[in-house]
Amino acid sequence: MNKVWFITGCSTGFGRELAQQTLALGYKVAVASRNTEDVKDIVAAYPETAFAVKLDVTKADEISSSVKQVLEKFGSIDVLVNNAGIGYFGAAEESEEAEFRHMFEVNFFGLVNLTQKVLPVMRKQKNGHIVNIASIAGFFAFPALSFYNATKFAVVGYSESLAKETGHLGIKITIIAPSGFRTDWAGRSAKESSIVIDDYAPTAGANRANLRKASGHQPGDPVKGAAAIIKAVESENPPLHLLLGAAALKNARIKLAELKNDFDTWEATTIGADSPLSE
């Protein structure tokens, strides 16, 4: 187990569970968190193979410093898990610009900026695996999550393109799309718009309430979810897309059926939009 994992957002949820499980398996792990006090127990349990890294993914200097520190400590970065992320609830019209821009900085641009710093390391090594934690909300959109959906759709699009660009370099990409898991995503870590428009009560308003009510009671088990991610990374042919949770699979299949219906129904119109140039 010589591989080095670099995992962001390790204070709670998937990040914490992934750090603990990979360390238990004998991997070397850079355990990143905005506050290293939140992960000191993990590092104390594995003093030889765990390394606490202070990292706020919205800060360019901390991104550069963290990559440098991990390389100085372990000499390589073989698996990067971009897990850090936040939620924000509100209909599109209700959502406050400062809040959703900040969410993009964390969920998308932070992921991109850290990846940009790690890619040269993996290119030089001619191997590596980048695991981007997206969401089923990056494929199937939900009301009250307009801008959260947008951040995760962005992660998926970026990751799919990255996979096509880096495969020949020995760098693998896996996009994780969980449904509801018992992490803190819908709890204290998620913000909610202070604006409430009554017209959206049956759609976004209802889902806002459902998300809060379900927090801590979701069917997804973070322990099993982390184990599934490790299994994918350790496999000879890891998936580009890995759904986690029965609800993720159900909603993905609904979306596929909706797409097929639209494509098939409007096939003639679609093809009719072409006008081949005459020879």
Side-chain angles (χ1 to χ4, degrees), residues 26-40:
Y27 289 109
K28 296 174 182 176
V29 182
V31 184
S33 177
R34 286 183 299 168
N35 184 352
T36 55
E37 285 293 305
D38 293 339
V39 297
K40 67 179 182 180

Side-chain angles (χ1 to χ4, degrees), residues 16 21 84 110 144 165 198 203 215 236 253 268:
R16 170 169 277 268
Q21 289 193 31
E165 294 168 356
D198 290 342
T203 55
S215 181
E236 186 175 345
R253 284 176 170 162

Side-chain angles (χ1 to χ4, degrees), residues 80 82 111-119 130 132 158 162:
L80 170 64
N82 283 306
L111 176 152
V112 168
N113 292 337
L114 179 56
T115 301
Q116 294 286 75
K117 292 296 182 182
V118 172
L119 279 171
I130 298 171
N132 290 333
Y158 169 77
L162 191 62

